[in-house]
Amino acid sequence: MKNLKNGCSYSELWVSPEDWRTTTAKSSLKKQWYVQCYYYDPLFADKYPKGFPFRKKLNRIKTLEQRKEAVKFFLEEIPKLFEDKLWNPITKNYMAVEEDIYNYDINPNTKIIDAIRFVLDRLEIETRTIKEIRNIVDKFERSVKNLRFQEISVIDFKRKHYKLVIENIEKIDGKFSAHKYNKYRSYISILFRDLLEYEAVEYNIMKDIRKKTTEKKIREILSEDERKQVNQFLKEHYPDFWRFTIIFFHSGGRITELLRLQIKDVDIKKQVYRTLIKKGNQSQWIERPIKDIAVHLWQRSIFGRKEDYVFSTGLKPGPEIIAYKNIQRRWKMHVKDKLEVTADFYALKHLNLDETAELLSLEDAARLAGHTDTKMVLNHYAVGEESRKLERLKKLNNKFA
């Protein structure tokens, strides 16, 4: 399937008869000769759910050689017609996008989807977040076209349009949870924030869209027995994954940060490693500590070239960045499935930060996690802090008299 700039797409071309290249029999002239594909336009999805059958018939041509030449011609020209000129065989119109508007300029009259795509292509944030936003924008665009809102200028796209677009996505994909609803709101708000900076809109309409109330779930962490079991099993059977697991546990960082980490960014003598933190459109290099207890594991992890990633293929130094899901897959396969542990790999970070808060302070836990204040640690990571507060209050012996 080939996607087009106008939001449409078309299938691979095929030819009838299949042996058109090799046939020499005059009897084949009696067969139906044509070049065909299916063209998909979201605006006509109800009328042509399987695509519009676009066919070029060739039976008027009387000789085999001429038909073969005609097939070659259409196989070459039809893609040009769709891709370069954006010709729509359903509407019989050319839908060419103005390149200067689509790629280089943006203004209040730019159509809503073109405007969103413009700022999306220029976002400088975490790769995984970009992928999530692109997925949401794809569904957003589909809904906009289904509702026939694609001709609305970005300046005229209001809160009511957004609400209708989201409601339409829910009709197709199912009702949103509060968390999913808020994620759409947050990501679209990022795009409108940038549209505001480009002066394509007068204000960020998403600020007036209310968040939905979510239930705060208690993060499941590993019990003491599970920690011993996981430690022993991984160390014996999967030593490289065990080494990564223990380093991650003590690091206070994110999985993606460790996977992006290069050997040159690790300083064993100073017991620190440098990592780039990306939040919104801002990036900042920070230093995270390497604990005494984990130094020997880091020393075993940083052999090779300085430009190599510390945890590449096989969780050993190498030139390639491995995917986040690689860690999730290993944890599920070796820990969840084999040991029947239900906690996620990321629970290790919660566990470490909670213990840091208990043994040292919330401020130290926040510093280890790279946060500027304790709010994030208290709300999301220090799962035992509330219980510790209660215990401290219970032991407060302030006498009345």
Side-chain angles (χ1 to χ4, degrees), residues 328-346:
Q328 293 175 310
R329 178 181 58 79
R330 288 172 185 262
W331 183 260
K332 182 181 184 304
M333 183 186 304
H334 301 317
V335 177
K336 283 191 167 185
D337 293 347
K338 295 175 183 176
L339 302 181
E340 298 183 353
V341 171
T342 55
D344 293 327
F345 184 83
Y346 214 74

Side-chain angles (χ1 to χ4, degrees), residues 13-203:
L13 295 163
W14 72 88
V15 180
S16 177
E18 291 184 3
D19 63 346
W20 68 274
R21 293 182 186 275
T22 58
T23 182
T24 58
K26 290 186 178 180
S27 59
S28 67
L29 290 171
K30 296 179 181 180
K31 298 178 181 179
Q32 291 296 317
W33 280 64
Y34 57 85
V35 179
Q36 182 169 327
C37 68
Y38 284 98
Y39 190 92
Y40 300 86
D41 184 336
L43 294 181
F44 295 91
D46 294 337
K47 188 174 182 180
Y48 302 108
K50 296 182 179 179
F52 173 77
F54 178 69
R55 176 181 292 185
K56 282 293 183 180
K57 299 179 180 179
L58 305 173
N59 278 55
R60 290 182 181 179
I61 302 173
K62 300 304 179 184
T63 69
L64 277 176
E65 289 305 315
Q66 288 177 330
R67 286 192 187 182
K68 290 181 179 181
E69 288 301 316
V71 169
K72 293 177 183 177
F73 173 80
F74 284 118
L75 287 176
E76 184 176 339
E77 292 301 315
I78 289 174
K80 292 180 182 178
L81 192 63
F82 292 159
E83 296 173 27
D84 298 341
K85 298 184 179 180
L86 295 180
W87 186 69
N88 188 323
I90 302 176
T91 63
K92 303 296 189 294
N93 290 324
Y94 293 92
M95 302 170 65
V97 178
E98 295 181 34
E99 293 294 332
D100 60 330
I101 291 178
Y102 189 83
N103 289 323
Y104 307 114
D105 190 20
I106 190 171
N107 58 67
N109 294 319
T110 304
K111 299 297 184 285
I112 177 62
I113 292 302
D114 289 345
I116 284 178
R117 292 284 183 188
F118 180 94
V119 292
L120 175 61
D121 289 341
R122 289 157 175 78
L123 281 182
E124 296 180 0
I125 55 179
E126 184 73 35
T127 303
R128 287 182 64 242
T129 305
I130 283 285
K131 288 181 179 179
E132 289 185 19
I133 296 179
R134 287 192 184 281
N135 182 52
I136 285 176
V137 168
D138 287 343
K139 293 186 177 184
F140 189 87
E141 179 175 352
R142 179 190 65 185
S143 184
V144 164
K145 290 179 177 177
N146 286 342
L147 295 171
R148 306 299 193 268
F149 288 165
Q150 72 272 20
E151 293 301 315
I152 297 178
S153 299
V154 64
I155 194 70
D156 296 323
F157 193 84
K158 307 300 183 185
R159 295 189 300 275
K160 66 177 181 180
H161 297 120
Y162 173 81
K163 294 284 287 185
L164 291 170
V165 167
I166 296 301
E167 288 172 5
N168 186 60
I169 296 175
E170 289 184 302
K171 287 180 183 178
I172 299 170
D173 294 347
K175 191 71 175 175
F176 285 3
S177 64
H179 174 75
K180 187 174 182 179
Y181 181 90
N182 291 341
K183 179 171 282 192
Y184 267 71
R185 176 191 173 278
S186 174
Y187 286 163
I188 298 298
S189 180
I190 289 174
L191 298 173
F192 267 88
R193 178 199 64 197
D194 285 9
L195 288 170
L196 183 62
E197 292 182 0
Y198 278 103
E199 299 183 0
V201 294
E202 294 177 351
Y203 69 101

